[in-house]
Amino acid sequence: MHYQKKSVADYTGDNVSGAHIAIEAKSTKDKAWSIARMPEHQVAYLDARQQRADRHPELKGGAFVLLDLRTPGRWYLVPWRALRANRIAHPDDAWLVPYEADPLRFWVWIRGGKQPW
């Protein structure tokens, strides 16, 4: 048995200019996802990362949630600020539409398809 510190976001990193990016990955088979499902320490961590990014906008950092809604088969890379404000994500929500992501687009490009950007 050993002590294990609570984890922070699933993906974190800093660039050379000092910008910090934090991404928490969440997945559900339900037709919607709620921020109420997140442990308090994860919410606090993403809040802190976003506050740091807001204090230093020139660094272009921030906090995000990579959301996998399995029932409709859609992925979203949602800015924490937007998810925090709306609290619940349904695939038909107008606020969520701009954040839809295609996780397979990169692999199509690798195999000779159109560049993803």
Side-chain angles (χ1 to χ4, degrees), residues 41-63:
H41 73 277
Q42 289 179 343
V43 171
Y45 181 79
L46 294 176
D47 281 344
R49 294 301 92 199
Q50 189 58 55
Q51 288 169 3
R52 178 181 175 193
D54 292 345
R55 285 192 307 270
H56 303 284
E58 72 281 2
L59 299 179
K60 301 186 188 316

Side-chain angles (χ1 to χ4, degrees), residues 43-116:
V43 171
Y45 181 79
L46 294 176
D47 281 344
R49 294 301 92 199
Q50 189 58 55
Q51 288 169 3
R52 178 181 175 193
D54 292 345
R55 285 192 307 270
H56 303 284
E58 72 281 2
L59 299 179
K60 301 186 188 316
F64 302 86
V65 173
L66 178 61
L67 185 56
D68 172 16
L69 298 179
R70 291 186 194 175
T71 298
R74 293 184 183 166
W75 288 71
Y76 301 88
L77 182 58
V78 187
W80 178 242
R81 184 182 295 115
L83 188 56
R84 192 81 156 104
N86 291 282
R87 304 199 53 83
I88 297 175
H90 297 90
D92 298 325
D93 289 341
W95 73 267
L96 192 59
V97 171
Y99 308 117
E100 188 165 2
D102 182 355
L104 300 177
R105 192 165 62 170
F106 176 76
W107 298 111
V108 169
W109 174 71
I110 289 293
R111 292 178 175 225
K114 184 178 178 186
Q115 287 186 347

